[in-house]
Structures are given as C-alpha cells and as structure tokens.
Amino acid sequence: MHSSFARHLDALAAWRALLDRQLGALEQTLRDAGLLDAEGGDVIDGLCRQVASDRVVVAFVAEFSRGKSELINAIFFADTGRRILPATPGRTTMCPVEIGYQAGEAPMLALLPIHTRTLPQSLDELRRRPELWTRLPLPIDASERLADTLTEVMRTKAVTVDEARALGLWDDERPDVLDTPGLNAIGAEVSLTLGLLPAAQAVVFVVAADAGVTRSDLAIWRDHLEPQAGARYVVLNKVDALADPLLSSADVAALVARQREVTAAALGVTPERVFALSARQALMARIDGQRAPLLASGLPGFEEVLANELLPERHDTLARVLLDALAPLEERLTRRLVDHRRHTAEQLLELRGLRGKSQAKVQLMLQRVAGDARDFERCTVRLAALRAVHSRMLRAALDTLSIDRLRDDLARLQRDIAATLLNLGGRRLFGELVQQLRERLVAAAQRNEEIRAMLQASFAQLNSEFGFALALPDPPSLERALRELGQVERNFGGYLGLANALRLADPRYLEQFRRLLWARLRALFEGAIGELEHWSRDASAQVDAQLRERRDGFERRQAALERIRAAAGELEQRIGEVAATEDALERQLDEVQGAFAALREQVGRTPDPDAAMLPWRGEPLAVAGARTRGVV
C-alpha cells in the first residue's frame, strides 16, 4: 500500500522531468529557427538547472526515541516489506541523517566521521571534500541487506572526556548529559541549525503521545523551529501507547484529543496542526496490506495534509519562476520575428512594384536603399552614447552590491562578536549589519529604476526615429533578495541568542557561523547582481539583434537590386526568394509560438499521483549521515 505523500512526490518529480524535456524541445526549436542567441540560451540553460536542482526538503526533527525513523519508514519505505531505517527501542539513530536522490551517483551510505567536528569547515564545505567521507554501497534491491547497511547510523564511538569536550559534546556543568540526535545535535551542528533547517520547505516536529511535550522538546521547538519560515507540522506519535484495556474506545479517543490540545497549547499552534498517529501501526498495516488498521493509525490523514499543502505550493513556486522567465523571452523573440517578417513583406512589395519598370527605376531604388542605410547608420552614434551611459549607471548599481565589501563586512562582524563579553552583543551587531545590507539592496534597486527610466525614454525615441521595435522587459525589483535577507536575519539572528553564547565563544563555532553566513549572503548578493546584469544584457541584446538584422536587410536589398539591374531575369527569381523567406518566417513564428505554448501547458499541468512511478526503485538512493559517529 503506497504512501499518499510519496505518490504525490513522485508525481511532482515526473512533472519536473517533462518540464526538462519541454525546455529541451524549445531550445531545439529556437536553434533550428536561428533564434537561439546567447541571452536566450542563458535563460533556457538557467531554467533547466533550476528544474534539475528543485527539491522538496522535509525535515523530521525530534528528541531521541520519539519515532522519527519509524515515521520515515512508514511514509517512504513500507513497500519494501520491512523496516529499513533502524527504529528499535532506545537510542538508535545517533546522528542527523539525510535521505535523498542524487542523479549520476550510485546508491550509497555516506558517513562523515565524528572527528570532523573539530574542523572549521561547515557541513556544506565538507560535502566538497569526498576524501573525508566513508561510503558504503546500498543494495536497494535487497531490503534486508539494505536495512543491515543502514544500521551504521547506530554506531557509536568511545572517547575520553577531553575528546568529547573538544567535539562540543560534553558540558562540564552537566556531566550527565551527552549528545543525542535531538537537542544537543541540533544546537552543536551550526550547519544543521542555519543551513538545513531554514532550507526545508516543511518541518515535521515529532513528540511522543505518552510523554507529551517535554522540557527538551520545548527547547528544540523554541530555539530552532519556532523562528523558522516555512510550514510547520507537529506529529503526536505513539498514540497506540495510550490504549488501555480498562478504558472504552471513546475514552481513549477523548484522551488522545486532550493530548493534542495540550501539545498544541505548549507549542503555541492550533490543534489542527497537531496530528495524532502511530507510525509503527501504520508501517505494519502497510506491510500487511491492511487498509482498516492503516486508517486507524492516523498516518494517511497526515500524509494527505502534507501532500495537499506542501507540494502544490512547491509546484506553483517553480511554475511562477518558469513563466516569469519565459514571458520576456517569448515576447522578445516573437517581436524579432514579426519585425523581420514586416521588413520582408515591405521588400517583397517593393520588388513586385519593379515589374515592367525601367533600369532608371531600379537605379532610383538603389539610391533610395543607400540613402535609407545612411540615415539608419546615424543611429549608431546614438546607440554608442546609450551604451556608455547604460554601462556607467549599471556599474554604479553593481558597486552598491560589492561582494568584496560584503566579505570585509563579515570579517569585521566576526571580530566584533569575538570581542564582546560572552558574545552577548552579537545579535545587535548582526542586526546592524543586516540593516546596512538591506539599505544597499534598496539603493541598488533605486539605481536600477533610474536605468529603466533612461532606457525606456531612449527606446521610445529609437523606435520613433529609426523604426526599431524595442520593448523594455520588466526590471527586477530585488524583492526576492530582500525577502531572503529577512529570512537570514531571523535564522542567523536567532542563533546569536543567549542559548548559544557559550558555544560561539569557541572560535571554531564562530568561524563556522561566519562561513555559513558568508555562503548564504554571497549567494543572495550574487543572485541580485545576476538579476541586474541579466536584465541589462537582455535589454542590450535586442538592440544589437535588431541593429544587425536591419543592416543585413539593407545589404540584402541592395545586393538584390544590383543583380536585377545586371540581369532582367533576376527580378522574378528574387521575388520568389523573398516570398519563400516570408513563408519560412511565418512557419517559424508558428513553431516558436507553438513551442512556448506547449511548455506553458506543461508548466500549468497539475501533477497526477496516479500516473507516477516510485522513483527510488532501481534508481540511486543517497543516505548521508552528518557527523555519523555518535559518542557514548
């Protein structure tokens, strides 16, 4: 019995695969039509990369022994006929674990030894150092051997107290507490707290129905999950533990309902966001193919909510990105073809008017073409001045977003935080930096608005005086960058609170914090720079393309008239050639518009979970354990 959520995930993956093929078909159509210029190629390549890299990230977070692994088993691995991730009583999964699909790689379990916690590099940086990882092949077609291999995530390593202290897993003030895959692991892993959790589109927080929301559960929620953006779901797991032979089924149901309300109140969410279920009961029901016990487990209802709330939002987000990028490209290429067809029609009309005319008439036409070409070339002086002004204004806008300046800002922030007593001034210093960065983004957007106004006026003048068909695409607003900066402020600012003050007093953790912040802000600013540069290139590219086509048109007209003057039989031949060109342009326009229409249709199509195949069967499965050697 397949998981509803897994089937919807498969449907989304199938939709993305079809999108990739449609983008390839569009690219080939434009190439065949001779319309795939550098800018168009960059747009399509960028969209292909975006479709390929699009991921749905769901984080399952909890203290140990809350049933995270069993819940994952029930949702994703029940069709193997057994438990895949270790989920036995007691401490089992001793590390954060990622499960995902990595194209082009064989199925594997990648383990990062615990001693890498002493390195200054963040987890994202360690991903790019394959020599540090231990890799074990995953036999995905043999479920028993697959489960045996995955027991590696249970492995522990005995170390001295000094070694545990160096690893950040020992607290001298609380010697009875060691690292677990719950609270301490989340707090100690800067990459996990500031990298993976903020990147998740949804977080599933698991608490145990028999224990309720414990103090450590509440600490995880308040310190690491509550400030995060994105969807939040609370699973009240192990409700089967509330069954009591001395109570009626109605009494047990009332007990579960009260526990939901208490959990919701403790976490500050509505009871509708708390889902009471039994992952173990659901897993066994799916393995046995029993529908009634599966429904009684409560898991299908949670999966439906997860699928219906999370996946359509992911679909709509990617669809908007594609449509927003394709619309200006289609408009520009369509206008280019229409303009070319218009000039071809004018040329054809001109040639047909020469039938029966004298050589003197042809000579006059040659003179007219030469005069038109000279008049048109006057615009090149205007265009040179336009390019100079545009380039100067663009440099001013991009200087506002200087990456070198950003690097210096973060180095200064690190020094200033280290200099404060117990880093208690870190949040204030960070807030001041974010405000400065926000002002720079706003200033860059204002400068780009000045560029837009200048280009708009210049394009209108060029269209009026020289017959161009220039249209300025909508400029980037940098709103996306500002929203992302707000998320960075919430996520990283929260990490600079009192709870992590002692941890950040360790230069190693502060360096990891800076590296992660640098990576996030650099990507944010480079994205904003890329938006401004791409928009400016797109505006300039159509000027160059129309200028080149107009020059080519004058040269073709002049060459045709020269041939007609030299030989009377050339006129009908040239009329036939131009007429054929006009027909070809008509076909190209239909093909290009059809390719864009087909892609828009696929973008707007709703993924069908009943038509999708489970992608992990027979395809690479990557399971990466972060710092996968626990400590006892």
Side-chain angles (χ1 to χ4, degrees):
M1 301 177 69
H2 296 317
S3 158
S4 170
F5 181 61
R7 287 191 302 106
H8 281 81
L9 274 177
D10 298 341
L12 187 64
W15 174 75
R16 286 196 299 253
L18 287 174
L19 275 182
D20 185 68
R21 287 199 286 271
Q22 288 290 146
L23 283 167
L26 174 63
E27 183 178 30
Q28 188 61 50
T29 298
L30 298 181
R31 182 177 287 110
D32 292 343
L35 296 171
L36 191 65
D37 54 19
E39 292 305 309
D42 287 345
V43 170
I44 295 177
D45 288 345
L47 291 177
C48 286
R49 288 193 299 271
Q50 190 144 10
V51 170
S53 62
D54 185 67
R55 295 288 184 270
V56 176
V57 181
V58 181
F60 293 80
V61 181
E63 268 287 18
F64 69 92
S65 296
R66 300 300 192 264
K68 296 187 300 292
S69 297
E70 195 75 303
L71 183 58
I72 294 172
N73 281 325
I75 293 175
F76 296 106
F77 298 119
D79 63 334
T80 64
R82 60 159 298 145
R83 179 179 285 123
I84 295 297
L85 290 180
T88 54
R91 295 184 180 181
T92 53
T93 307
M94 297 303 297
C95 58
V97 175
E98 291 180 71
I99 302 173
Y101 170 72
Q102 186 66 42
E105 291 192 8
M108 71 179 74
L109 171 64
L111 304 167
L112 188 60
I114 190 67
H115 68 77
T116 57
R117 291 181 83 133
T118 62
L119 299 177
Q121 287 84 7
S122 67
L123 181 58
D124 286 338
E125 292 171 307
L126 293 175
R127 293 181 196 277
R128 297 189 288 273
R129 296 188 59 184
E131 73 278 4
L132 295 177
W133 295 73
T134 300
R135 286 175 164 77
L136 303 175
L138 286 178
I140 61 174
D141 292 327
S143 59
E144 185 172 350
R145 289 194 293 123
L146 174 62
D148 289 342
T149 304
L150 290 177
T151 58
E152 284 292 317
V153 300
M154 299 173 60
R155 183 171 301 224
T156 60
K157 178 181 180 179
V159 299
T160 66
V161 170
D162 288 340
E163 289 174 313
R165 186 183 296 112
L167 292 169
L169 305 178
W170 179 268
D171 188 342
D172 288 324
E173 296 182 1
R174 294 184 298 168
D176 56 325
V177 177
L178 292 175
D179 182 47
T180 75
L183 175 59
N184 292 337
I186 293 177
E189 284 289 358
V190 183
S191 297
L192 183 63
T193 308
L194 301 178
L196 295 180
L197 287 181
Q201 282 89 41
V203 170
V204 178
F205 184 54
V206 186
V207 297
D210 52 351
V213 179
T214 66
R215 182 177 179 180
S216 59
D217 290 329
L218 195 57
I220 291 178
W221 177 264
R222 289 178 175 172
D223 294 342
H224 304 294
L225 302 183
E226 196 172 29
Q228 302 289 350
R232 294 289 174 268
Y233 304 91
V234 179
V235 166
L236 187 64
N237 194 22
K238 303 183 180 182
V239 293
D240 52 316
L242 299 181
D244 188 335
L246 300 180
L247 297 177
S248 67
S249 57
D251 291 336
V252 172
L255 181 60
V256 171
R258 283 197 300 274
Q259 197 71 319
R260 283 184 65 205
E261 292 175 357
V262 170
T263 300
L267 300 179
V269 299
T270 63
E272 290 74 22
R273 305 303 290 177
V274 180
F275 299 87
L277 57 87
S278 169
R280 181 173 61 181
Q281 183 180 344
L283 176 63
M284 296 311 300
R286 281 198 164 130
I287 290 175
D288 295 338
Q290 299 295 320
R291 180 171 178 79
L294 176 61
L295 293 175
S297 73
L299 181 60
F302 170 61
E303 288 181 316
E304 283 295 327
V305 171
L306 200 61
N308 293 334
E309 291 187 2
L310 174 62
L311 301 187
E313 187 274 337
R314 195 67 212 155
H315 166 274
D316 293 345
T317 298
L318 184 56
R320 282 194 301 271
V321 169
L322 289 166
L323 293 176
D324 289 347
L326 289 170
L329 176 62
E330 181 180 11
E331 182 182 3
R332 178 167 65 85
L333 296 180
T334 299
R335 186 182 301 109
R336 180 176 165 186
L337 279 173
V338 169
D339 189 51
H340 193 182
R341 191 176 61 173
R342 177 171 60 84
H343 289 295
T344 301
E346 291 174 355
Q347 185 181 359
L348 184 60
L349 185 63
E350 182 180 79
L351 290 173
R352 285 171 175 164
L354 291 175
R355 284 172 171 155
K357 303 298 183 181
S358 64
Q359 288 289 321
K361 179 66 173 177
V362 175
Q363 182 63 33
L364 286 174
M365 292 301 301
L366 275 169
Q367 293 173 0
R368 177 183 170 186
V369 171
D372 289 346
R374 284 193 301 271
D375 290 341
F376 182 75
E377 286 300 324
R378 288 190 297 107
C379 75
T380 58
V381 177
R382 187 85 57 81
L383 291 176
L386 175 62
R387 287 192 182 95
V389 173
H390 184 191
S391 178
R392 184 174 65 252
M393 295 178 72
L394 179 61
R395 281 198 305 273
L398 296 181
D399 286 346
T400 308
L401 304 176
S402 168
I403 298 298
D404 290 337
R405 184 179 176 186
L406 177 64
R407 182 187 293 108
D408 293 341
D409 288 339
L410 292 187
R412 183 170 57 255
L413 175 68
Q414 183 180 13
R415 292 193 301 269
D416 291 347
I417 291 177
T420 62
L421 181 61
L422 290 178
N423 304 317
L424 295 181
R427 180 176 290 183
R428 175 184 57 80
L429 293 168
F430 176 69
E432 292 172 355
L433 173 61
V434 169
Q435 182 57 32
Q436 294 170 11
L437 299 181
R438 185 176 289 112
E439 290 171 358
R440 291 180 205 168
L441 286 169
V442 171
Q446 291 172 343
R447 289 177 183 257
N448 201 57
E449 174 59 25
E450 295 171 0
I451 295 175
R452 185 207 62 77
M454 184 274 295
L455 289 177
Q456 187 72 50
S458 299
F459 280 12
Q461 205 167 29
L462 289 168
N463 291 344
S464 174
E465 293 185 23
F466 300 104
F468 281 102
L470 302 172
L472 195 63
D474 292 333
S477 66
L478 300 188
E479 283 297 327
R480 180 189 58 81
L482 288 168
R483 287 195 302 272
E484 289 184 4
L485 183 60
Q487 293 176 358
V488 170
E489 182 176 24
R490 289 190 297 272
N491 297 336
F492 284 77
Y495 197 79
L496 290 170
L498 183 62
N500 290 304
L502 291 176
R503 179 170 286 120
L504 287 171
D506 184 340
R508 180 187 57 188
Y509 282 98
L510 185 56
E511 172 63 13
Q512 285 192 11
F513 176 88
R514 185 199 65 81
R515 285 172 178 263
L516 279 168
L517 182 58
W518 161 246
R520 184 75 183 275
L521 289 177
R522 181 182 61 185
L524 189 157
F525 270 63
E526 286 178 346
I529 290 171
E531 287 186 47
L532 298 182
E533 289 180 331
H534 176 77
W535 178 78
S536 291
R537 284 198 306 268
D538 192 42
S540 299
Q542 59 174 312
V543 175
D544 296 336
Q546 292 189 32
L547 180 63
R548 183 172 55 253
E549 288 178 359
R550 194 68 60 84
R551 282 173 170 166
D552 292 344
F554 284 131
E555 291 174 0
R556 287 193 298 268
R557 289 173 61 193
Q558 186 169 11
L561 289 170
E562 291 285 0
R563 290 198 303 270
I564 292 167
R565 184 173 63 176
E570 288 285 342
L571 177 58
E572 293 302 325
Q573 178 181 340
R574 182 56 184 161
I575 288 174
E577 291 172 355
V578 176
T581 299
E582 186 179 39
D583 291 341
L585 287 171
E586 185 73 30
R587 288 194 302 273
Q588 284 183 351
L589 183 59
D590 290 341
E591 290 170 358
V592 168
Q593 289 177 334
F596 276 103
L599 183 52
R600 283 197 303 272
E601 181 183 358
Q602 176 57 34
V603 169
R605 187 171 296 155
T606 301
D608 182 5
D610 295 325
M613 296 293 291
L614 288 174
W616 79 279
R617 281 198 173 278
E619 295 190 10
L621 176 71
V623 180
R627 322 283 194 188
T628 53
R629 299 291 192 258
V631 174
V632 296

